[in-house]
Amino acid sequence: MKNQILKELSVSELNARAELLKELCLNLDPYTPLSDEDKTTLNDLGFEELDDPFRLTNALILSMEDTLEEIQKREDPSSGPTLH
């Protein structure tokens, strides 16, 4: 998900997104096929490339970092951006 879209979400939506991403990161196993429910959830979150489990894992982690950074900016506007 692009950072611009994250900026349009409310803090509560960002927190819900972070929780969902956290759950996905903890529960997805790159060695087993994705369930239809997981595919739908990932598509809803903006993930399109689901065939490569390792690229998907990296994309999930980056998305989680972006989401947490946006939450942090909103909670403490004086904090600058962090690097990946």
Side-chain angles (χ1 to χ4, degrees):
M1 180 176 264
K2 302 212 186 310
N3 286 340
Q4 182 60 34
I5 294 171
L6 290 177
K7 292 179 191 308
E8 296 172 5
L9 297 176
S10 69
V11 173
S12 63
E13 290 171 321
L14 287 168
N15 284 320
R17 178 181 171 78
E19 273 302 311
L20 186 54
L21 287 167
K22 176 183 171 185
E23 201 160 310
L24 285 168
C25 287
L26 291 173
N27 294 322
L28 286 182
D29 178 359
Y31 298 103
T32 59
L34 293 170
S35 69
D36 288 338
E37 181 181 341
D38 287 338
K39 288 179 185 179
T40 300
T41 300
L42 289 163
N43 284 323
D44 290 346
L45 289 169
F47 295 94
E48 297 172 2
E49 293 186 40
L50 307 178
D51 295 332
D52 183 339
F54 298 101
R55 290 183 82 194
L56 176 59
T57 300
N58 287 337
L60 278 168
I61 292 168
L62 289 175
S63 182
M64 175 63 103
E65 288 178 355
D66 290 343
T67 302
L68 293 175
E69 285 176 11
E70 186 63 29
I71 292 168
Q72 183 180 14
K73 276 192 249 177
R74 305 253 185 110
E75 290 176 349
D76 182 12
S78 66
S79 67
T82 58
L83 301 176
H84 289 271

